Amino acid sequence: MNPMNYNRRAFLKAGVALAATPWTNVWAQPIVIGKDPKVQRTLILLELKGGNDGLSTVIPLQDPLYLKFRTNALVEPKDAIRLDPTHGLNPNLKSFARIFNEGNMAIIESVGLPNRVRSHFRATDIWHSANLEKAGAAPGWIASLGDLAWRKRGSEAVVHFGRDPLNAHRSATRSFLAIENPAHFALLGAGPENFEKAKPKGKARRHKLGSGQASALERIREIQDSARHESLRIRAATAGYRTSVVYPKTPLGSNLRDIAALMNIPVGAPPRVLSTTSGGFDTHSRQKNPHDRLMTGLDEALGAFMQDLARTPIGRNAVVLAYSEFGRRVQENGSQGTDHGKGGPSFVFGHNITGGIFGQAPNLADLDDGDVKYSTDFRSLYSTLIEDLFDCDSKRVLGAKIPKLGFLS
Amino acid sequence: MNYRKYIWQGMVLGGLLGGAQGQGTQPHENLKPVRWTPIQVEHLLNRAAFGATSAEVRHWHEAGQQALIDSLLEGGEPAEPFEFTAHRADRKGLFGANTDQRQKEAKRVRLLNRAQIIEYSAWWVTQMMHTEDPLRERMTLILHGWLVSGSKKVKQSDYMIGQNQLFREHGLGNYGELLAAIVEDPAMLLYLDNNTNRRRKPNENLARELMELFSLGEGNYTEEDVRQAARALTGYTVRGDGFAFSKKQHDQETITVLGYSNTMDGEDLVALLLEQPACPRYVATRLIEEFEGFAPDEERLQVYAKLLVDGDYEIKPFLRHLFSDPAFYRPEVVGAKIQSPVDFMIGSSRRLQVEPDAKFLSDAVSVLGQTLMNPPSVKGWDGGYAWLTEASSILRSNVIGAMIGQVSNTDLREGMSEALELMDEMMEEASDKMDGDMAKPKARGGPLAKILNQVRRQKLTVRVPVLDWLNLQKVTKDTEIARVLLDQLLAVAPAPDTERRVTQFLKLGRKKMNIKEGKMAKTPERSRILLMQTVHLILSLPEANLE
């Protein structure tokens, strides 16, 4: 250890220990089955980028039209994992099936955007802003929720791991931590590292700064102090995290492991919202094998994550929402793939949720211009989370009263 | 173009906004003179150009305010324009092709377009570094973040580059002409979906942004106005190699927008918007926000809105007035604006007097949150404190440190083991309860690794002429060295304590490295190590984020 770093480390340790106090005994707390009002509830967002093919994820076991529309890009109903007489899961979703049967997973059927959008870009903007007209020009829904639910907390309340930070977190007034690689979230170089030691001596030259610059400097110092603090906290939590749960060695696996670390390690108050993304779902051609691999990757990572979250009260109180910007067309295209469609299933996981199947299953005999009709407004996922997870007025975040779903009741 | 085409209900703007100026004098000649010290010089060069070295500040201090304003407005030799190609799928070659061949061709074109955007971004940052016409480049950047289109959606790189050239061309010209051109700009039409704005199925996207973001501002029109205005833009589409007007898709019925009824096309609509009293107020507010950092008060807003009306939306007289205005140099404004990533990387490089690789610079700017040619949304970049988050403030220091050879992959590894040690110390009790194994820290991945690898592989580290500055100023004492380095490297004045702390840093460093005060020249190699650490720490100060 470089002795020049001693002061900074001592300073940071003191800061981290202070922030950690309410959570230090998180491992000692008995795990309460059912909701524990004393434990913070955390939301974890997982965005499946590209538009997941819902009909190869949740399989309609009894709809004869399924096999008419699909010849290659499908899961044979006989291969699917049976959840009930009409619903099956892609056979690669073994952990999903286990979690579903434990009552810890909700499938929300036919989720979609009220307006017809087939561009990834635009659809993603709408998901993130929950604003049908202004989309990308409106603030993100998580940022708006932050103004109500964790107004006094700083950027550490929302942490995104990996690429493509969600615009859901963005607004002109709130910031969040976007970390591609936590190991690199460190102020490096001998100059900046050792500057803490240089205490000013002697008399200052007498000059005054302009009022604007003086207050800007004040604010930047706060950001930089918080950065040094968060840097060590997040690096220490992620690098030092130990678990016997085996995560797949994929970007999603390691991002979910880092999320679990921030939840499970008693270093400061855990974030209120964590997020990450997983890509590759834009399967326009020869879909079957790549999609099966996507399902396997998702299943292994989320299976491990859920097992890991079960270890602490705060982990057990967390809710995971996995969604994709749209579903895919019902009719397979000419290259054994599927094009951009409309409605598709979303998934909610958590040890304290109401599991089961919500919303209407796709009716392949009654399509909307060749797409699964959306019957669940995507904003009802949000209104449920805002009201039942964060105890806030969803109308103030979404601008409209959107009926809730039952997965948190 | 005649902006006075639609004068109705006595809405004569000049009359609304007050009396005419005195005959014979230009409005800016009636302003009080500005106290012209190096602080004011650097302030103008920070905001209107891309920062300045100490020598440039001294030069313009002597030459005077009017000389600098003239030079900024008149510019110098125009740069050689960027030569670009329209990359399109080979339609004839694809006749009868199967899906695989089509996808291959689409991928080929996609890659060519992406490469051309990367090349153009590098060309653009080179302009910002070296142009003799910096105010034009500043306006080009401002307009790119204001009348936004992005390559991720537009896809055709030639349209994006063409739009940027349009900003360069009109940036110091006429805002009205620019608006008229933008409703026929293929990149804009694609970005705001106007290619799907048809007579029987209007798309309101362009009409809405034209009013909300480009001309009137929120609250100065109704939803019905948006719906009606969209009809005026029906049939404005993109075909083949550019803008096309489809008469068949254009709505030729009478349209009622903002209380005025007639048949209307895009040019008519733009002229009508420019005639609204809200328009000069909105445009003046936007421009002043860009240069001063926040919106003007009502009194100044009226003056500047009137300047736009009297000048038929000419931008140069507006900026001449602004740069002559004592209010532009007031204490609330000077040194109080957060540098954008462009300003941080380009401005710092200019002050460091180094010549970094252009692609590296545009990559670095992108990693810090400002991807040129692809703003995050139609609103552009939020700017201000949105640039400076915890993560980005650390990244700024690391990226500029990588550029000047002060941050390497080795530092990264040491940083990781530091975190682990600390975790062990802190978690002694708790870690007993955490069973299982630790994961290997990830050395790869992430923006910093990308920058560090680029620097290492392509040997992009620049050499900072730090000893030259000291020799030139003939300084040897720690306090003097601190003062010279701070003056050279910051775009603003340092806080009083900062100078003393940098002095103390130099003193401690000298002791540790066994260099006597005043004798740096005797051990240039060791001294250089210490001086470069000092340069890096100055670039990571709170002050280094301000302009």
Side-chain angles (χ1 to χ4, degrees):
Chain A
M1 182 176 117
N2 182 351
M4 293 275 279
N5 281 337
Y6 179 74
N7 278 352
R8 187 163 71 94
R9 292 167 59 93
F11 161 78
L12 284 165
K13 263 182 76 177
V16 168
L18 202 69
T21 324
W23 304 98
T24 33
N25 53 358
V26 75
W27 291 89
Q29 283 170 10
I31 290 179
V32 180
I33 304 297
K35 278 174 213 165
D36 182 348
K38 288 194 297 294
V39 177
Q40 176 190 295
R41 304 209 73 183
T42 314
L43 172 64
I44 294 144
L45 296 173
L46 168 57
E47 182 167 294
L48 309 175
K49 293 181 85 71
N52 176 41
D53 182 25
L55 289 174
S56 297
T57 309
V58 179
I59 316 303
L61 299 179
Q62 302 292 345
D63 197 327
L65 288 171
Y66 182 54
L67 295 172
K68 285 211 170 117
F69 284 118
R70 299 290 181 94
T71 44
N72 295 286
L74 85 165
V75 171
E76 295 281 353
K78 63 177 168 49
D79 298 335
I81 308 173
R82 190 173 172 277
L83 298 179
D84 67 24
T86 53
H87 293 85
L89 275 180
N90 183 300
N92 298 292
L93 295 176
K94 293 187 183 71
S95 309
F96 275 44
R98 176 175 49 77
I99 299 168
F100 182 87
N101 290 328
E102 289 163 358
N104 295 334
M105 173 175 137
I107 298 173
I108 322 294
E109 292 269 37
S110 312
V111 178
L113 311 176
N115 33 358
R116 161 162 302 277
V117 178
R118 288 220 183 96
S119 131
H120 297 291
F121 184 82
R122 180 96 182 148
T124 308
D125 276 350
I126 294 175
W127 271 90
H128 287 166
S129 61
N131 188 315
L132 308 182
E133 281 94 37
K134 291 185 163 181
W141 78 277
I142 294 289
S144 304
L145 174 61
D147 285 340
L148 301 180
W150 52 88
R151 198 163 45 88
K152 289 200 175 133
R153 283 185 65 175
S155 49
E156 91 294 345
V158 178
V159 184
H160 179 88
F161 281 102
R163 292 184 175 204
D164 306 312
L166 305 186
N167 284 332
H169 304 329
R170 258 182 244 281
S171 80
T173 51
R174 292 203 78 84
S175 65
F176 64 103
L177 293 176
I179 297 166
E180 254 191 81
N181 184 339
H184 295 182
F185 182 36
L187 187 64
L188 304 173
E193 273 178 13
N194 296 332
F195 191 50
E196 289 289 334
K197 274 200 77 178
K199 296 275 177 284
K201 281 192 179 154
K203 264 191 180 170
R205 266 207 301 165
R206 290 178 67 85
H207 71 280
K208 255 181 78 183
L209 293 176
S211 56
Q213 191 188 334
S215 62
L217 278 177
E218 194 73 16
R219 196 162 160 193
I220 298 174
R221 275 192 206 108
E222 277 171 26
I223 295 169
Q224 290 193 344
D225 284 349
S226 154
R228 281 163 207 241
H229 185 273
E230 288 307 316
S231 144
L232 211 61
R233 188 175 80 94
I234 286 182
R235 272 187 299 146
T238 53
Y241 185 54
R242 289 198 285 162
T243 178
S244 52
V245 172
V246 182
Y247 282 87
K249 289 186 171 46
T250 57
L252 179 62
S254 84
N255 287 330
L256 288 178
R257 190 183 201 279
D258 289 338
I259 289 176
L262 281 200
M263 306 267 305
N264 281 349
I265 275 196
V267 186
R272 298 304 305 276
V273 176
L274 292 130
S275 62
T276 189
T277 66
S278 187
F281 289 88
D282 198 16
T283 48
H284 283 282
S285 70
R286 303 211 177 130
Q287 173 181 299
K288 174 72 181 158
N289 288 335
H291 192 266
D292 278 349
R293 279 195 297 276
L294 287 167
M295 291 292 109
T296 307
L298 195 60
D299 187 74
E300 287 177 358
L302 265 170
F305 183 58
M306 286 300 289
Q307 211 182 324
D308 208 7
L309 285 186
R311 299 196 301 154
T312 57
I314 190 127
R316 295 181 64 85
N317 239 359
V319 172
V320 184
L321 169 64
Y323 63 94
S324 196
E325 68 264 38
F326 41 59
R328 308 194 73 82
R329 293 189 74 85
V330 174
Q331 176 67 58
E332 181 174 318
N333 68 20
S335 43
Q336 305 178 9
T338 50
D339 298 322
H340 301 177
K342 218 174 171 194
S346 295
F347 303 89
V348 177
F349 302 85
H351 295 94
N352 272 325
I353 67 160
T354 305
I357 296 173
F358 298 83
Q360 288 169 16
N363 180 353
L364 302 187
D366 178 21
L367 295 177
D368 171 10
D369 191 19
D371 289 333
V372 169
K373 268 191 181 167
Y374 99 91
S375 55
T376 309
D377 186 330
F378 76 106
R379 292 172 298 174
S380 59
L381 296 168
Y382 296 171
S383 66
T384 314
L385 292 165
I386 294 165
E387 307 247 326
D388 295 347
L389 197 67
F390 292 101
D391 287 325
C392 288
D393 178 2
S394 62
K395 199 177 166 204
R396 286 179 67 189
V397 177
L398 304 175
K401 191 86 192 161
I402 312 290
K404 290 193 294 185
L405 298 161
F407 60 82
L408 287 180
S409 55
Chain B
M1 189 169 166
N2 175 16
Y3 303 122
R4 295 287 148 89
K5 205 162 151 189
Y6 302 97
I7 296 175
W8 72 105
Q9 298 170 356
M11 260 192 208
V12 186
L13 286 176
L16 268 183
L17 294 164
Q21 290 283 342
Q23 295 293 312
T25 51
Q26 292 296 311
H28 70 270
E29 288 166 12
N30 298 329
L31 287 163
K32 284 197 186 119
V34 170
R35 196 171 143 249
W36 193 241
T37 76
I39 302 257
Q40 282 75 36
V41 182
E42 192 155 18
H43 172 58
L44 180 52
L45 286 165
N46 288 339
R47 303 290 176 92
F50 293 90
T53 61
S54 303
E56 285 169 319
V57 172
R58 279 193 295 276
H59 170 82
W60 289 113
H61 183 226
E62 276 168 34
Q65 186 188 9
Q66 277 317 310
L68 175 51
I69 294 175
D70 287 343
S71 158
L72 285 169
L73 286 167
E74 279 150 33
E77 282 292 302
E80 284 283 309
F82 180 85
E83 304 243 344
F84 59 96
T85 317
H87 296 295
R88 301 280 187 278
D90 174 13
R91 288 204 176 194
K92 276 185 196 156
L94 282 177
F95 188 75
N98 63 28
T99 317
D100 268 3
Q101 290 165 319
R102 281 173 195 280
Q103 279 175 351
K104 241 185 182 167
E105 174 65 1
K107 190 178 178 191
R108 184 186 72 86
V109 173
R110 198 165 60 237
L111 292 179
L112 283 171
N113 275 310
R114 205 176 294 165
Q116 184 158 260
I117 287 289
I118 289 171
E119 251 176 67
Y120 181 75
S121 304
W123 178 87
W124 193 6
V125 298
T126 309
Q127 297 308 306
M128 297 181 204
M129 283 284 291
H130 297 295
T131 177
E132 292 181 22
D133 210 351
L135 179 58
R136 186 176 297 278
E137 289 307 324
R138 172 60 70 184
M139 279 303 301
T140 306
L141 182 61
I142 288 173
L143 291 167
H144 175 54
W146 179 358
L147 312 178
V148 171
S149 300
S151 61
K152 209 170 164 185
K153 169 138 186 205
V154 171
K155 296 191 176 80
Q156 270 96 320
S157 53
D158 56 314
Y159 292 161
M160 283 304 301
I161 297 165
Q163 183 186 74
N164 215 250
Q165 301 285 31
L166 190 73
F167 295 151
R168 196 163 282 112
E169 193 183 311
H170 291 280
L172 290 174
N174 186 292
Y175 189 76
E177 282 171 25
L178 175 60
L179 268 198
I182 211 73
V183 299
E184 298 185 0
D185 176 64
M188 185 60 75
L189 294 173
L190 292 176
Y191 186 72
L192 292 180
D193 305 308
N194 209 70
N195 53 328
T196 64
N197 186 13
R198 303 191 182 99
R199 188 160 55 92
R200 291 197 185 281
K201 226 179 166 187
N203 182 308
E204 296 164 7
N205 215 358
L206 176 60
R208 178 181 303 281
E209 305 311 358
L210 192 59
M211 290 185 173
E212 179 181 333
L213 298 173
F214 303 173
S215 68
L216 303 182
E218 246 182 315
N220 294 307
Y221 54 88
T222 64
E223 281 299 306
E224 184 57 23
D225 288 326
V226 172
R227 277 190 286 279
Q228 294 286 319
R231 293 173 57 200
L233 296 168
T234 45
Y236 279 56
T237 188
V238 180
R239 232 178 264 151
D241 272 324
F243 169 69
F245 177 68
S246 161
K247 205 173 170 190
K248 214 175 81 191
Q249 292 300 341
H250 181 68
D251 188 330
Q252 297 178 43
E253 307 282 306
T254 296
I255 294 168
T256 304
V257 188
L258 297 156
Y260 177 84
S261 297
N262 206 338
T263 57
M264 250 182 251
D265 62 11
E267 195 181 341
D268 299 327
L269 176 66
V270 166
L272 177 62
L273 293 175
L274 291 165
E275 277 293 311
Q276 299 297 308
C279 186
R281 288 175 62 87
Y282 178 76
V283 174
T285 305
R286 274 304 291 249
L287 280 171
I288 291 174
E289 265 175 354
E290 294 286 352
F291 286 99
E292 293 190 359
F294 42 88
D297 61 26
E298 180 59 29
E299 195 183 324
R300 284 179 79 220
L301 176 54
Q302 286 192 15
V303 172
Y304 281 92
K306 182 175 178 334
L307 268 171
L308 284 178
V309 174
D310 290 348
D312 265 349
Y313 288 97
E314 281 293 321
I315 294 171
K316 270 190 186 177
F318 182 98
L319 292 181
R320 182 178 289 281
H321 195 279
L322 182 65
F323 301 153
S324 310
D325 188 347
F328 176 70
Y329 303 90
R330 70 192 188 278
E332 290 82 14
V333 173
V334 176
K337 189 166 182 255
I338 301 289
Q339 290 182 9
S340 67
V342 161
D343 286 304
F344 180 73
M345 289 309 299
I346 309 279
S348 299
S349 296
R350 289 176 50 81
R351 286 182 288 272
L352 284 161
Q353 293 180 302
V354 295
E355 186 62 45
D357 177 72
K359 281 205 174 98
F360 167 80
L361 268 184
S362 73
D363 278 355
V365 166
S366 167
V367 153
L368 295 178
Q370 192 173 21
T371 307
L372 293 174
M373 309 308 281
N374 206 18
S377 82
V378 64
K379 269 194 328 177
W381 292 284
D382 287 332
Y385 284 93
W387 288 131
L388 209 64
T389 62
E390 278 87 345
S392 78
S393 79
I394 285 182
L395 202 52
R396 279 187 178 196
S397 172
N398 289 342
V399 167
I400 203 111
M403 185 178 93
I404 60 172
Q406 290 294 299
V407 172
S408 69
N409 297 66
T410 323
D411 295 306
L412 259 188
R413 280 193 290 278
E414 281 170 10
M416 284 191 257
S417 49
E418 180 202 29
L420 277 177
E421 270 174 52
L422 195 77
M423 191 65 188
D424 274 353
E425 287 170 40
M426 288 191 314
M427 295 279 299
E428 265 167 28
E429 270 178 56
S431 52
D432 291 343
K433 301 204 172 65
M434 280 189 357
D435 53 340
D437 304 320
M438 290 196 294
K440 267 194 188 160
K442 288 166 280 184
R444 287 146 170 272
L448 182 59
K450 177 185 163 182
I451 290 288
L452 285 173
N453 289 335
Q454 200 176 349
V455 169
R456 187 169 50 87
R457 283 203 200 107
Q458 302 175 36
K459 300 192 171 59
L460 298 178
T461 309
V462 292
R463 191 174 168 85
V464 179
V466 58
L467 286 161
D468 297 353
W469 300 332
L470 305 186
N471 292 337
L472 209 66
Q473 303 269 322
K474 299 195 180 62
V475 291
T476 54
K477 284 188 183 151
D478 293 341
T479 34
E480 296 166 343
I481 295 173
R483 195 170 302 165
V484 166
L485 293 183
L486 286 164
D487 186 48
Q488 179 74 33
L489 296 174
L490 296 178
V492 299
D497 260 3
T498 302
E499 203 174 293
R500 293 191 297 154
R501 288 185 65 197
V502 174
T503 306
Q504 187 64 14
F505 177 86
L506 280 164
K507 193 176 161 193
L508 292 174
R510 268 194 311 96
K511 265 192 193 159
K512 208 180 144 209
M513 293 169 123
N514 209 4
I515 307 167
K516 287 212 168 71
E517 182 164 22
K519 304 286 182 206
M520 283 218 180
K522 286 202 171 163
T523 51
E525 271 141 59
R526 256 185 296 159
S527 301
R528 198 183 153 74
I529 293 175
L530 176 60
L531 289 170
M532 284 309 296
Q533 290 180 358
T534 316
V535 166
H536 185 206
L537 93 79
I538 290 175
L539 294 172
S540 69
L541 288 172
E543 286 93 329
N545 296 295
L546 290 174
E547 61 175 24

